[in-house]
């Protein structure tokens, strides 16, 4: 049943049909957007620009009964979008080619991030993304996968050449199946848990983390599960791209080490690393890094590990715990 028309969009129960215009960005273009708003400044990497505004497209989907989902958020460590599976006609893969032939996940509608009044951020923020090919939080649609921009750049190209300005019609339908739901989980690493137990739990979660069971986010005051699975190679300071704060426990009390990079040798390809003990007060306003490595006994309670957060600047948001 057709419910109404919003601009040139056809809105029916559980379906939306809209018209878009080809950008003809080139068969060798590295596209990051299948569909963007009509005034997008990213037309050079978008295959189509919609005729209607992003605001009208969002309103059409909601009028057709599409519930809002939860977009990805790197800040909240939500790397999987949660939304409703969407089928597109014509099939996406008749128009786009996957240069890496990796797993192809369904399209999901989340509605994108929203302003306090409920308006879609994508309606006013470039690139005006309607369907991004990576997990851009503001995009109304994306793949049901944990795909950051760096992981997908160079992966997708147009499969067909469509003359610039040629119009195509796209129909999006859904059955109401929500992707995620009961299969989304936010783990709990309570303060009374030991570091050793947290490492074992994190290892189990890494095996579960997938489109079928999405491990998203962390509880307030705790760490994302990957914090307990740092790369062992990071113990070697020379193997790191940047130098985080380091915290160790001497006689049960946290001790801070800062590492400075000395580039005074102009012929050196790598800096000389100078480690020095420091007080927490001395780095209170230090924004040299957003990361901290914590080296803690496996028998230590997480309460003592979490307490380190209150000792370091708010700029530190990435935490990794090495079990000793």
């Amino acid at each position: 049943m057709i419910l109404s028309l919003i601009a040139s969009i056809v809105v029916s129960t559980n379906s939306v049909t809209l018209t878009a215009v080809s950008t003809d960005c080139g068969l060798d273009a590295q596209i990051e957007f299948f569909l963007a708003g009509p005034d997008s400044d990213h037309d050079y990497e978008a295959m189509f620009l919609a005729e209607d505004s992003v605001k009208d497209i969002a309103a059409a989907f909601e009028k057709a009964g599409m519930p809002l989902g939860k977009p990805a958020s790197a800040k909240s460590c939500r790397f999987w979008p949660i939304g409703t599976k969407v089928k597109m006609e014509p099939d996406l893969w008749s128009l786009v080619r996957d240069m890496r032939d990796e797993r192809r996940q369904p399209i999901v509608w989340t509605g994108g991030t929203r302003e306090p009044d409920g308006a879609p951020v994508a309606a006013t923020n470039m690139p005006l993304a309607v369907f991004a090919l990576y997990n851009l939080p503001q995009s109304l649609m994306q793949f049901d996968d944990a795909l950051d921009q760096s992981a997908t750049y160079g992966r997708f190209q147009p499969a067909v050449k469509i003359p610039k300005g040629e119009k195509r019609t796209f129909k999006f339908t859904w059955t109401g199946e929500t992707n995620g739901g009961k299969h989304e989980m936010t783990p709990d690493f309570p303060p009374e848990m030991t570091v050793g137990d947290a490492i074992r739990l994190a290892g189990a979660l890494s095996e579960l983390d997938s489109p079928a069971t999405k491990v998203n986010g962390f509880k307030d005051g705790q760490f994302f599960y990957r914090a307990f699975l740092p790369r062992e190679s990071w113990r070697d300071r020379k193997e790191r791209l940047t130098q985080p704060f380091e915290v160790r426990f001497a006689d049960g009390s946290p001790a801070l080490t800062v590492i400075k990079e000395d580039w005074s040798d102009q012929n050196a390809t790598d800096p000389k690393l100078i480690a020095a003990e420091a007080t927490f007060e001395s780095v209170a306003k230090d924004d040299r890094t957003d990361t901290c490595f914590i080296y803690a006994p496996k028998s230590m309670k997480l309460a003592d590990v979490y307490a380190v957060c209150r000792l370091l600047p708010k700029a530190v948001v990435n935490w990794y715990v090495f079990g000793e």
Side-chain angles (χ1 to χ4, degrees):
M1 178 179 68
I2 296 178
L3 299 177
S4 64
L5 295 176
I6 297 180
S8 62
I9 308 171
V10 179
V11 182
S12 301
T13 303
N14 286 9
S15 77
V16 169
T17 302
L18 53 87
T19 303
V21 179
S22 172
T23 65
D24 191 18
C25 54
L27 289 175
D28 59 348
Q30 311 299 325
I31 54 175
E32 296 195 5
F33 308 93
F34 178 74
L35 181 61
D39 301 317
S40 175
D41 63 357
H42 281 56
D43 55 335
Y44 62 94
E45 56 184 2
M47 197 166 176
F48 292 94
L49 297 183
E51 283 196 317
D52 300 281
S53 71
V54 177
K55 181 179 179 181
D56 283 348
I57 293 171
F61 274 83
E62 291 165 28
K63 187 173 182 64
M66 178 69 85
L68 291 177
K70 291 182 284 187
S73 169
K75 182 178 179 180
S76 302
C77 292
R78 296 181 52 83
F79 299 110
W80 298 95
I82 302 297
T84 302
K85 289 183 180 179
V86 173
K87 179 181 179 182
M88 189 185 90
E89 298 177 56
D91 181 65
L92 175 70
W93 303 110
S94 67
L95 300 169
V96 174
R97 55 180 173 172
D98 184 345
M99 303 299 292
R100 302 177 193 165
D101 196 27
E102 297 180 3
R103 68 181 183 189
R104 295 177 178 178
Q105 296 297 345
I107 304 166
V108 292
W109 164 276
T110 67
T113 49
R114 297 291 170 125
E115 303 285 5
D117 64 358
V121 170
T124 55
N125 286 38
M126 291 298 170
L128 305 182
V130 176
F131 178 8
L133 300 177
Y134 65 96
N135 286 349
L136 178 65
Q138 68 198 53
S139 181
L140 304 183
M141 286 179 276
Q142 53 264 296
F143 289 121
D144 181 28
D145 209 340
L147 299 172
D148 65 25
Q149 188 174 18
S150 62
T152 59
Y153 186 76
R155 176 177 173 182
F156 302 110
Q157 292 184 348
V160 293
K161 179 176 175 59
I162 302 173
K164 185 178 179 65
E166 185 171 305
K167 295 183 179 181
R168 292 293 175 94
T169 298
F170 300 101
K171 183 177 182 179
F172 298 91
T173 59
W174 56 95
T175 62
E177 179 184 0
T178 299
N179 211 49
K182 65 180 181 180
H183 300 298
E184 182 191 23
M185 61 185 300
T186 301
D188 185 8
F189 290 86
E192 60 271 18
M193 178 180 282
T194 66
V195 169
D197 286 341
I199 292 172
R200 285 188 286 273
L201 174 57
L205 290 171
S206 70
E207 296 295 322
L208 291 172
D209 197 16
S210 66
T213 305
K214 301 176 179 181
V215 182
N216 264 342
F218 55 91
K219 293 186 180 296
D220 187 42
Q222 298 184 9
F223 294 159
F224 185 52
Y225 85 94
R226 292 180 191 168
F228 300 101
L229 301 173
R231 296 180 186 176
E232 282 298 310
S233 62
W234 289 346
R235 290 180 181 271
D236 184 347
R237 292 168 182 158
K238 294 180 180 179
E239 294 295 316
R240 307 171 190 167
L241 294 177
T242 60
Q243 298 301 326
F245 290 126
E246 296 180 356
V247 173
R248 292 174 174 79
F249 291 86
D251 299 324
S253 299
L256 175 66
T257 301
V258 297
I259 300 94
K260 296 182 179 180
E261 296 182 346
D262 181 359
W263 287 95
S264 58
D265 184 352
Q266 297 181 357
N267 296 320
T269 57
D270 295 301
K272 180 181 179 181
L273 301 178
I274 303 173
E277 299 303 309
T279 65
F280 289 99
E281 291 77 13
S282 68
V283 299
K285 298 181 179 180
D286 195 323
D287 60 358
R288 78 181 71 188
T289 180
D290 62 2
T291 304
C292 178
F293 287 177
I294 301 175
Y295 299 84
K298 290 183 179 180
S299 60
M300 178 172 281
K301 300 292 186 181
L302 291 183
D304 295 321
V305 174
Y306 294 150
V308 174
C309 299
R310 297 190 293 271
L311 302 176
L312 287 172
K314 292 183 179 180
V316 179
V317 293
N318 298 316
W319 305 90
Y320 291 96
V321 181
F322 291 85
E324 302 289 86

